[in-house]
Amino acid sequence: MTDIRNIVVLTGAGVSAESGIDTFRDAGGLWEQHRVEDVATPEAFERDPELVLRFYDMRREAIQQKHPNAAHEALARLDREWEGGLMIVTQNVDDLHERAGARRVVHMHGTHLNAWCTACDVRSPWTGTLIERPACPDCGERSLRPDVVWFGEMPYRMDEIFAALREADLFVSIGTSGAVYPAAGFVRNANDLGVRTLELNLEPSQGSAWFDESRHGPATQVVPPWVDEILAA
Ligand code: BJW
């Protein structure tokens, strides 16, 4: 591993599961009898804003009661101690990587802790609810929505992520099912670029066959030893 300088880590819901945040699969893909795909879309927000805002208000409140686990802590240690390039790309909209101390984090699916005003395009830090349609702190319009990326929308900072993948020597995917694109395609992008790939997941993901190596188990048990290993190399 001595030839590794630049690392891209992709994390998904599985890294926060042991902090008590349901993965999309754990929840059975259902919320109040609605498929997650039917709530996490701009069309659903247009059709039934109350339903969608209630879903996100509940989750925004829940994440603020949760705490980083040993996997978040290990990745924060990697961030502190790894002298080479590192990008932690997370699909998660919680802030547990940051609360563990990681700094080189990219939220490709946005964050629960911002509200986005579709009238003035300003994003404001937000910890409360949106269901009562509060005014935008910037322009005063009542046009706030959760600052998360729904199906059919463009994930954030894709240019930076692809640039990091092009420079990477190692791509590590942690706690993600490999079901949602474009993140699910990063392993194929890495393969095409000749980047070494490693999967750390509870079980084989949908993209498992594309990885050079897979290690299976709970994130709190497989991530810390991997970080120890890479920092010792
Ligand atoms: C553990 C564990 C433990 C459990 N330890 N592990 C047909 C083909 C291909 C693509 C498409 C298609 N039709 C439509 C598309 C595109 C679409 C898509 O992918 N759809 C699929 C359903 C097929 N994608 C989009 O629309 C995206 N935009 C887009 O593509 O724009 C065009 C574009 C093109 C080219 C380049 C760039 C852009 C946008 C996707 C937005 C996803 N948004 C959501 C909601 C965010 C807000 C919210 O939180 O509500 O993001 S959906 C949801 O899925 C959320 C997650 O970030 C995302 C991924 O889920 P994740 O993290 O993988 O969670 P799970 O639950 O699925 O898996 C957990 C894993 O952890 C499991 O494997 C467990 O085993 C494991 N695990 N406990 C370790 N303790």
Side-chain angles (χ1 to χ4, degrees):
M1 274 192 289
T2 46
D3 54 345
I4 293 172
R5 171 107 194 123
N6 298 324
I7 305 173
V8 174
V9 173
L10 171 70
T11 67
V15 83
S16 295
E18 290 160 89
S19 293
I21 300 178
D22 275 350
T23 67
F24 293 89
R25 288 223 164 8
D26 281 337
L30 287 178
W31 181 73
E32 289 190 359
Q33 313 312 316
H34 302 277
R35 293 185 332 135
V36 171
E37 289 82 351
D38 293 339
V39 184
T41 66
E43 293 77 18
F45 185 52
E46 203 162 308
R47 190 170 58 237
D48 193 347
E50 291 230 333
L51 172 86
V52 175
L53 291 174
R54 209 149 35 86
F55 176 66
Y56 284 96
D57 282 355
M58 178 196 74
R59 291 174 55 209
R60 190 179 310 101
E61 188 187 350
I63 62 152
Q64 293 176 69
Q65 319 300 325
K66 309 297 181 187
H67 303 285
N69 64 46
H72 298 105
E73 306 283 356
L75 291 171
R77 178 172 167 238
L78 179 69
D79 191 356
R80 276 194 308 277
E81 297 182 16
W82 183 255
E83 288 175 2
L86 174 71
M87 182 183 277
I88 301 172
V89 181
T90 187
Q91 298 169 86
N92 298 343
V93 294
D94 65 52
D95 62 341
L96 296 186
H97 284 305
E98 288 89 343
R99 278 200 266 149
R103 292 291 168 262
R104 291 182 270 182
V105 182
V106 169
H107 280 270
M108 66 176 289
H109 290 164
T111 163
H112 272 318
L113 297 173
N114 276 349
W116 172 25
C117 177
T118 53
C120 70
D121 201 29
V122 166
R123 288 164 166 88
S124 306
W126 208 267
T127 51
T129 54
L130 290 172
I131 189 84
E132 68 280 19
R133 312 312 292 265
C136 167
D138 224 66
C139 74
E141 289 291 321
R142 297 185 181 277
S143 301
L144 294 173
R145 58 162 273 187
D147 186 16
V148 300
V149 178
W150 287 324
F151 286 110
E153 297 183 327
M154 182 61 83
Y156 296 158
R157 300 174 66 178
M158 291 307 299
D159 290 350
E160 284 170 69
I161 295 169
F162 283 126
L165 278 171
R166 281 194 295 275
E167 294 297 314
D169 306 299
L170 178 65
F171 170 71
V172 186
S173 173
I174 304 175
T176 176
S177 58
V180 176
Y181 287 82
F186 291 168
V187 60
R188 304 288 303 279
N189 302 131
N191 290 157
D192 292 346
L193 290 161
V195 178
R196 185 166 174 73
T197 56
L198 168 66
E199 169 173 81
L200 305 176
N201 205 52
L202 188 62
E203 59 201 356
S205 71
Q206 290 189 24
S208 216
W210 298 105
F211 287 86
D212 295 317
E213 185 188 348
S214 293
R215 299 181 193 176
H216 299 136
T220 57
Q221 289 178 33
V222 293
V223 176
W226 169 70
V227 168
D228 288 346
E229 202 177 294
I230 196 108
L231 287 174

